[in-house]
Amino acid sequence: MISAIIGGTGCQRIVGDDALRHEISTPYGLAVVFERKRGDDTLYLLLRHGEGHVVPPHLVNYRANIAALKQLGVTQAIGIYAVGSITSVVLPGTLGIMDQFIDFTGGGREATFFTGNGSGVRHIPMVAPFSSRLRAALIKEAARMSISIATKGTYVCTNGPRLETPAEIGMFRRWGADYVGMTAATETILANETGIEFAGTVYSINWAAGLDAEGLSFIEDEISDRIIDRLTTLVEGALSVTFAQPGH
Ligand code: HPA
């Protein structure tokens, strides 16, 4: 099985020293992907903000990243996303598995492979943007590892890079969003367009704007390092569980 993990803020450490580095050329530009082998299985690791975290969320080349994974033969992938908490579904310092998103990026980035002409006109369904098989694998692994994780949640994706106003967060809460970030919707849409089975996991590093009496503050690095470690272990475990019947 060829799998991938797409990591973001704070995830540099998932790559490890033994990974092979590849530069993959795609019709959308270059993507850097790291490779780890485990027996017959291959795991690719992609850092969406680039090596050294240099690319802001609205300028990430999402299409090159997802196209590279597709070219490498990836059939299942799990994204890891830092978020700010809007409801108590995922509190700061805790983990979640998404089941819905709201895309509030407002067209501020390239978010489709279907651009007409040679690329075709297609409208990909988003009824179930995240693979139920991968979500079930994550839930099962979390139980096995005694990791506490919220099994559902709605992610609202802003364009960034600025953070939100309290008025925006109040609106997102009324819309039903549980947490806010700047990357997951775009990656999920593109993965679905390529047919890569996809799931998204989150870890919260702050209360969203206006929800913390002390102003906007982020959890300590030590705590976020610890929850990222726990989440990446869980994600790797879930991807290594093989199923007789792949498919959504
Ligand atoms: N807003 C948007 N993206 C984020 C936040 C936030 O509060 N925290 C982590 N990513």
Side-chain angles (χ1 to χ4, degrees):
M1 186 88 100
I2 306 180
S3 310
I5 298 177
I6 310 178
T9 309
C11 287
Q12 278 83 348
R13 289 164 319 113
I14 65 176
V15 169
D17 298 333
D18 52 340
L20 282 176
R21 183 181 183 279
H22 302 283
E23 285 183 11
I24 309 293
S25 170
T26 79
Y28 309 95
L30 271 188
V32 174
V33 180
F34 296 88
E35 177 187 346
R36 263 181 15 213
K37 283 253 182 245
R38 283 175 313 184
D40 288 342
D41 293 330
T42 305
L43 178 64
Y44 289 108
L45 306 157
L46 197 154
L47 298 173
R48 71 175 67 83
H49 299 290
E51 295 159 280
H53 202 92
V54 287
V55 189
H58 66 301
L59 297 178
V60 169
N61 193 341
Y62 295 95
R63 295 199 299 181
N65 287 349
I66 299 293
L69 297 183
K70 185 71 181 174
Q71 282 173 217
L72 289 166
V74 168
T75 56
Q76 56 172 10
I78 300 181
I80 296 177
Y81 305 93
V83 294
S85 299
I86 298 178
T87 67
S88 55
V89 164
V90 173
L91 296 169
T94 70
L95 309 175
I97 301 167
M98 272 178 249
D99 72 320
Q100 287 288 311
F101 68 75
I102 297 170
D103 187 356
F104 199 69
T105 56
R109 47 182 81 172
E110 301 284 2
T112 181
F113 291 112
F114 300 129
T115 52
N117 300 316
S119 309
V121 176
R122 282 192 59 197
H123 305 285
I124 204 87
M126 281 292 128
V127 177
F130 301 104
S131 155
S132 54
R133 186 183 66 88
L134 285 176
R135 292 186 57 237
L138 283 162
I139 293 166
K140 201 166 146 199
E141 272 298 284
R144 199 183 63 78
M145 295 176 173
S146 302
I147 290 175
S148 161
I149 191 163
T151 56
K152 276 180 144 191
T154 299
Y155 176 115
V156 59
C157 189
T158 65
N159 200 49
R162 70 166 178 87
L163 291 162
E164 302 72 36
T165 64
E168 288 169 329
I169 294 299
M171 176 180 75
F172 295 149
R173 184 156 39 82
R174 289 189 290 279
W175 283 359
D178 294 304
Y179 30 78
V180 56
M182 301 178 186
T183 52
T186 317
E187 247 160 41
T188 305
I189 293 165
L190 291 166
N192 274 271
E193 285 189 350
T194 60
I196 294 175
E197 246 192 293
F198 194 73
T201 59
V202 301
Y203 62 97
S204 171
I205 55 171
N206 61 289
W207 277 112
L211 299 179
D212 186 337
E214 290 163 24
L216 194 72
S217 61
F218 295 87
I219 61 174
E220 289 163 29
D221 287 349
E222 266 168 53
I223 298 175
S224 68
D225 286 351
R226 210 178 317 136
I227 58 172
I228 292 169
D229 273 351
R230 216 180 308 148
L231 184 53
T232 51
T233 311
L234 167 61
V235 165
E236 282 192 43
L239 285 171
S240 69
V241 176
T242 46
F243 289 82
Q245 287 282 309
H248 288 257

